[in-house]
Structures are given as structure tokens and as C-alpha cells.
Amino acid sequence: MTSGKHQQCFQALLHEHRGIVFKVAGLYSRSAADREDLVQEISVQLWRSFGRYDERQAKFSTWLYRIALNVAISQLRRQRWSEADRFEPLQAHHLETVGGGEAMPEPDERLGALYAFIGQLDPLNRALILLYLEDRGYAEIAEILGISETNVATKIGRIKQKLRGQMTGAVAIGA
């Protein structure tokens, strides 16, 4: 493939799957500026790695998730934020995608509580729940994160149990 066609192919695939990049950046950033920087860094790393992408080994979205999550987690590890102000709670506007310009609808209280819960998870569990909520199968989640399907199932079960406990507690407090 010529250099120009290679770049066009990359740009088309990235445009088609750009929502993944913005979702990952939204989950692993604490401000709009951090999100923009992370989107840029993910895009650069995707381009650098694109020559090694083999569509026979993985779907583009699986490959993209793997790189985006690795970049986000690596950047998170490099930054030395204090635990108290480490993350801004995930909001619907963090999940906006480029192009459409329209914001997502305002979340209700339960959705807001879910976003807050996700924002408190450690980086691996945050990635896990993002992929689970994207309706990715356990096999694909395992492939993206480099863990076993059994580990995926166990961790998702624990996250759900913890979420149920927090949501039940929140409803009891609000009642």
C-alpha cells in the first residue's frame, strides 16, 4: 500500500471509530485540557502502530481499544496526582464525539451515580467496565486487556456486586 493510501485508510478507520478514543480519554482524564492531550497522544500512538496492525489477527476496534487503554493507563501512571483530586467524575459531556457537535442528553440521577462509580474505579476495572458497557464479549475484553476470560467474568461480577451495594446504599440514603 502506498504511503498516501496507508494514511487515508488509517484516517478513515480512525474517523469511523473515533468514539472509542473519546470514551477512553473521557474515562482517564480529569479536565478538558487533559482529555484533549490524551486524545492527541492516543491518535499519535495509533498512527505509529498502524503499520503493525493486522486485520487477520484482530478487529480494528479491538486493536484500537488495546492501544488507547494502554496509552491512557500509561499516561495516568506517569502523572503523580494526589488521590483526592485524581479524577473528575465522569459526565455525559466527556463521551461526546467529534464531528456531530451535539452534546449527549443530560443524564438522570442513576446514570450520574453510575458515572461517578466508574470514575472511582482503578484503571483496569474502569477499562473493563467500559468494554462491558460497550457490549464487548468476554473473549474480546480478555484479548484487549491481556487477561483471561475467567478473570474478566470474575472482575465484572465483583464490579456489579460493588455497584449494586453502592446504588442500594444511595437509594436508601436518598429515601
Side-chain angles (χ1 to χ4, degrees), residues 99-170:
E102 65 252 5
M104 295 177 71
E106 290 293 316
D108 65 8
E109 287 182 30
R110 289 177 57 95
L111 189 55
L114 175 63
Y115 288 151
F117 172 79
I118 293 170
Q120 294 171 356
L121 295 173
D122 65 76
L124 176 63
N125 285 331
R126 198 172 318 148
L128 225 159
I129 202 68
L130 167 69
L131 295 167
Y132 177 76
L133 291 173
E134 288 281 317
D135 289 327
R136 303 293 172 165
Y138 285 9
E140 186 177 4
I141 294 172
E143 181 181 349
I144 291 169
L145 298 179
I147 60 178
S148 70
E149 284 185 60
T150 304
N151 201 353
V152 168
T154 300
K155 288 180 174 292
I156 288 174
R158 288 179 182 156
I159 291 169
K160 286 179 177 179
Q161 185 177 13
K162 185 177 178 183
L163 176 60
R164 272 188 219 103
Q166 284 193 0
M167 295 301 273
T168 303

Side-chain angles (χ1 to χ4, degrees), residues 45-97:
Q45 292 305 321
L46 287 167
W47 172 246
R48 287 182 180 161
S49 302
F50 188 63
R52 294 185 303 274
Y53 168 64
D54 183 354
E55 64 188 28
R56 296 169 296 187
Q57 292 184 352
K59 294 187 304 186
F60 184 78
S61 61
T62 300
W63 176 82
L64 188 148
Y65 262 122
R66 187 178 309 131
I67 291 176
L69 289 167
N70 283 334
V71 169
I73 291 169
S74 294
Q75 184 165 313
L76 187 64
R77 287 180 180 147
R78 282 193 303 269
Q79 295 172 338
R80 306 266 183 223
W81 297 329
S82 72
E83 199 60 36
D85 86 336
R86 190 171 197 162
F87 297 103
E88 164 184 329
L90 181 65
Q91 301 294 323
H93 68 273
H94 296 154
L95 303 178
E96 292 176 11
T97 59

Side-chain angles (χ1 to χ4, degrees), residues 7-18 50 53 55 60 63-64:
Q7 185 173 358
Q8 287 176 335
C9 180
F10 172 76
Q11 288 174 336
L13 285 167
L14 183 59
H15 180 74
E16 181 181 340
H17 298 281
R18 69 190 179 273
F50 188 63
Y53 168 64
E55 64 188 28
F60 184 78
W63 176 82
L64 188 148

